[in-house]
Every structure is written in structure tokens, then in C-alpha cells.
Amino acid sequence: FGEEVAFFFQFFAFYIRMLAWLALVSLVMFMIDNKLVEVSFSMRSNSKLAFGLVLVVWASSFGVIFGGKEARSRQRWGMDSGSVAADMTLSSYRMELEGTWQLFFQKMLSTGGVIAACLAFSVAWGQISLNFKKSEEAVLTSFLIRAGSLAWSYTVPYLARLQNHRTRRRLNK
């Protein structure tokens, strides 16, 4: 119980520190978007794409860096490699699929589903940005995020089952 609480606070402290870097980039984007900084039209139009790329890099970095911090904390605290709950075999795991073409295609389908969802969101957001006034754009973007989150929450469990994970641990051994 103690380690779970410690990891909870460690995660949120790290998350807040990482959000500070993202806030700096967001401030620059806010200044560009609201014309507080003089930039060319092409730079202003490409700034949203650049911000999206920054978000992708930030999210990827966040997970990798925190994974290393968690591993160092486990070692420093004398813990084993993971908790018992993380090592339990999932009921959805099917051992007979390991090494088969079926599992390969299921993983490809799962990856394709993630890419398709990202593309669909990007296209929908782009259409909102191009076809609506700024005041309508904010409301529609909020709705798109809410609806997309709801749809994604129903889709993710199915995509995860296609991956045939053995345990809850992120990296199966």
C-alpha cells in the first residue's frame, strides 16, 4: 500500500513539472495565435501543426522518462521488478496465439485503429478550423474532444484485447 501511494505522488509531481515545459510552448503559441508577436502568415498557419508535433514528442518523452524514474525508485526502495497485481496473467490472454500470423494481423489492425482514430480527429479538427468562425470553432473543438474521448474510451479496450497482452505490465517479458 505504501509504494502505491508513493508512486502516485511521484507521478503527479513529475507530471506537473513536465506540464511546466508544455505551458511555455503553449504561451508562445497563444502569443502567435493572438497576434501578440509579429510572425509571417505561413509561420502562423504552420504553428498549429508544430504545436501538435510538440505535443506528440512531449507525450512520448513523458512516458519514457517517467518509466526510468519509476525503475530507479523501485531499485532505490528495494522493491522487486513489479507488483504482484502487475504480474498476474490476464484472463483475456490466449497463449496459443503467440507467434502466429493471426496475432501479427491483430496487432497490425490494432495499430491501424490507433492511426485511423488520430487521422480522423485531425481531419475533423482541420475541417472545424477551416469552415467555422473563431467563436464557433472553440465550442465545436470542445465538442469534438468530448465526443472523441467518449468514442475512444469504448474503442481502446477492444484494441488492447487485439494485442493479446499477457500481463498488465507495459513490457511483457
Side-chain angles (χ1 to χ4, degrees):
F1 180 72
E3 292 91 357
E4 290 178 16
V5 173
F7 279 125
F8 174 81
F9 285 107
Q10 184 184 33
F11 172 81
F12 276 105
F14 181 70
Y15 181 63
I16 290 168
R17 281 193 299 271
M18 289 290 285
L19 281 176
W21 293 106
L22 195 58
L24 289 175
V25 176
S26 298
L27 179 64
V28 171
M29 288 301 302
F30 175 80
M31 292 169 62
I32 290 172
D33 198 39
N34 290 308
K35 300 178 183 172
L36 299 174
V37 176
E38 290 295 323
V39 295
S40 67
F41 176 76
S42 64
M43 184 171 176
R44 180 171 285 120
S45 61
N46 291 326
S47 64
K48 288 183 180 180
L49 177 63
F51 185 65
L53 293 174
V54 167
L55 284 175
V56 168
V57 170
W58 178 87
S60 301
S61 304
F62 176 81
V64 170
I65 294 169
F66 183 74
K69 289 178 104 27
E70 180 186 16
R72 281 191 296 280
S73 294
R74 286 184 185 281
Q75 184 180 28
R76 193 171 50 244
W77 298 340
M79 297 174 64
D80 59 355
S81 62
S83 67
V84 175
D87 290 333
M88 292 176 58
T89 300
L90 294 173
S91 60
S92 61
Y93 175 67
R94 294 178 47 205
M95 189 168 65
E96 67 274 7
L97 287 178
E98 290 300 323
T100 64
W101 282 103
Q102 180 182 352
L103 182 58
F104 173 78
F105 287 121
Q106 283 181 222
K107 287 184 177 185
M108 289 294 113
L109 180 64
S110 177
T111 302
V114 172
I115 292 169
C118 291
L119 287 174
F121 179 81
S122 298
V123 167
W125 181 62
Q127 289 300 315
I128 289 171
S129 297
L130 292 174
N131 298 322
F132 293 94
K133 295 182 216 168
K134 195 129 181 113
S135 60
E136 297 167 336
E137 180 184 347
V139 173
L140 290 173
T141 300
S142 297
F143 176 75
L144 176 65
I145 291 170
R146 291 284 183 153
S149 295
L150 181 64
W152 189 243
S153 70
Y154 287 110
T155 307
V156 166
Y158 177 72
L159 294 176
R161 278 192 302 276
L162 284 176
Q163 294 279 326
N164 196 36
H165 291 288
R166 181 176 53 207
T167 63
R168 293 192 185 279
R169 187 174 294 172
R170 180 165 157 49
L171 299 173
N172 292 328
K173 302 285 181 197

